[in-house]
Amino acid sequence: MELELRHARIVVTIAAAGSISAGAQELGLPQPSLTAQLRRIERAVGGDLFTRSRSGVTPTELGSRLVPLLADLVRRADEVMAEALAASGGPLRLGCTEWTPPALRDALQAALPDAAVQTRTLNPEAAVEAVRRGALAAALVPLVPEPSGGAPGCDDDGGGGEPVLGRALIVREPVWLAVPQGHPLGARASVGADELTELTDRAGLAWVRSAQDHWFRAVERRVLGSSVPGRVLHHVNSHQEAMNWVRDMEVAALTTPSGALPGVTLVPVTGSERVDLVLLWRGNAVPRATPRTLVDTVRAYYCDYARSRPAYWSWIREHRGEFGELGRHLPQPVDA
């Protein structure tokens, strides 16, 4: 295997984050996937780059020599890309994960009339890397919060030669059960995370699950724990594909509400996970005022989308305390 820029970025991110789990969160990757990639990188360079422990990672002697060189490589590549984009006066490119609704692209263009907005759909790891190297000005990516429940607000990433990235939480989405329209489980007000498998097996529903390398696979593991649905008919690579299977094959799946399609009924799952939809941007790739415009526009669009799903919109309004980031885009409660 030849060492590539993306490999350098992986090493530098792990070093800056201080642990493989934190690096995986930063890159939007499942931890096992990042661990496997690091092992391949270490084989390519001829030795371990980090010493692992329960408290995190520390560079080995080889790592201490190579990490600064790799960080410099990443920094120089990012400078080249940023300079090229600035010189070309090119479009404002934004990335999304899973799917990019045309209405979202139109909303962004309307909010930024002086920019030529281009959108692109790609996986979280690729989106974060594209923002870091300057190929994208910003990206919407899903991140699974740590068990502590800390929500990412606006902050800076960096260190070890990494470019400064801004970050803002758009919305913290719940993970719900998707069942075919008209199925008896769809009439329930909610289901418990600990009874998902039993309920769907009792109802005779098979499942679709995410593919091994899809970002949502880690969410499913955390929701379902060690239990495995009795029948898994198919492994999907997007929420849209999963919802098509739920609708057409009458199976069950987990999804965030924004991944739902008509013909599918969503049931809230109590005691479940949340997925943070986060906007990342590269500080020197956009004008200073642009990130706030992007954040506000995406939050407003999300609320408009939620209104088109009356059951979900009612749930948001009933649990508005859990959606503080949507703030001024939610209707004010009426005093009794």
Side-chain angles (χ1 to χ4, degrees):
M1 182 185 82
E2 293 186 0
L3 202 63
E4 301 175 8
L5 179 61
R6 63 188 179 90
H7 301 138
R9 200 177 300 279
I10 285 172
V11 172
V12 171
T13 300
I14 292 173
S19 72
I20 293 177
S21 61
Q25 180 81 2
E26 198 71 29
L27 292 167
L29 272 176
Q31 184 174 333
S33 175
L34 184 60
T35 299
Q37 290 191 53
L38 177 59
R39 286 174 179 158
R40 288 195 291 270
I41 293 167
E42 289 177 327
R43 285 197 296 269
V45 299
D48 291 345
L49 295 172
F50 300 101
T51 299
R52 285 81 155 173
S53 69
R54 290 186 177 180
S55 60
V57 298
T58 54
T60 61
E61 182 179 350
L62 178 62
S64 296
R65 292 164 56 193
L66 294 187
V67 169
L69 297 175
L70 294 172
D72 188 59
L73 174 64
V74 169
R75 180 182 59 79
R76 290 176 180 274
D78 288 338
E79 287 177 352
V80 169
M81 182 58 68
E83 191 67 27
L85 288 174
S88 67
L92 184 69
R93 297 187 177 94
L94 295 104
C96 293
T97 295
E98 288 293 329
W99 66 307
T100 306
L104 173 58
R105 185 263 168 205
D106 290 345
L108 293 168
Q109 183 64 79
L112 298 166
D114 295 331
V117 175
Q118 288 184 356
T119 51
R120 180 182 176 190
T121 303
L122 63 175
N123 65 48
E125 177 191 5
V128 174
E129 182 177 349
V131 174
R132 288 191 185 281
R133 70 172 188 265
L136 292 175
L140 279 168
V141 296
L143 299 176
V144 183
E146 291 299 316
S148 62
C154 291
D155 62 4
D156 289 336
D157 296 330
E162 283 292 279
V164 175
L165 297 187
R167 174 189 293 188
L169 176 67
I170 299 299
V171 63
R172 177 164 283 183
E173 285 199 288
V175 175
W176 285 2
L177 173 68
V179 295
Q181 198 167 58
H183 193 278
L185 279 177
R188 292 191 51 148
S190 65
V191 298
D194 57 353
E195 58 178 344
L196 274 173
T197 299
E198 178 187 351
L199 278 174
T200 52
D201 284 351
R202 191 188 309 160
L205 279 173
W207 282 74
V208 292
R209 298 283 301 273
S210 297
Q212 186 69 37
D213 59 351
H214 190 263
W215 69 269
F216 198 66
R217 179 71 171 229
V219 178
E220 292 174 335
R221 288 198 194 100
R222 286 171 61 163
V223 173
L224 296 170
S226 59
S227 62
V228 178
R231 290 191 302 144
V232 178
L233 295 188
H234 181 60
H235 289 87
V236 301
N237 206 36
S238 73
H239 286 318
Q240 297 285 292
E241 185 185 7
M243 295 304 98
N244 283 328
W245 274 75
V246 172
R247 182 191 61 206
D248 298 339
M249 297 298 294
E250 298 191 346
V251 296
L254 294 177
T255 186
T256 55
S258 62
L261 291 176
V264 171
T265 299
L266 296 184
V267 185
V269 178
T270 58
S272 184
E273 290 289 318
R274 291 289 182 120
V275 174
D276 290 345
L277 184 60
V278 176
L279 182 75
L280 301 175
W281 65 89
R282 181 175 168 132
N284 63 356
V286 293
R288 186 177 297 273
T290 298
R292 179 49 51 196
T293 300
L294 292 174
V295 170
D296 195 58
T297 300
V298 177
R299 285 175 177 165
Y301 173 83
Y302 188 88
C303 288
D304 287 342
Y305 175 87
R307 286 187 186 92
S308 71
R309 304 289 188 267
Y312 181 44
W313 183 240
S314 296
W315 194 88
I316 288 177
R317 295 178 65 180
E318 291 171 6
H319 299 80
R320 59 183 302 120
E322 301 174 23
F323 292 89
E325 63 279 359
L326 297 180
R328 67 188 191 84
H329 300 290
L330 298 178
Q332 295 302 310
V334 178
D335 295 332

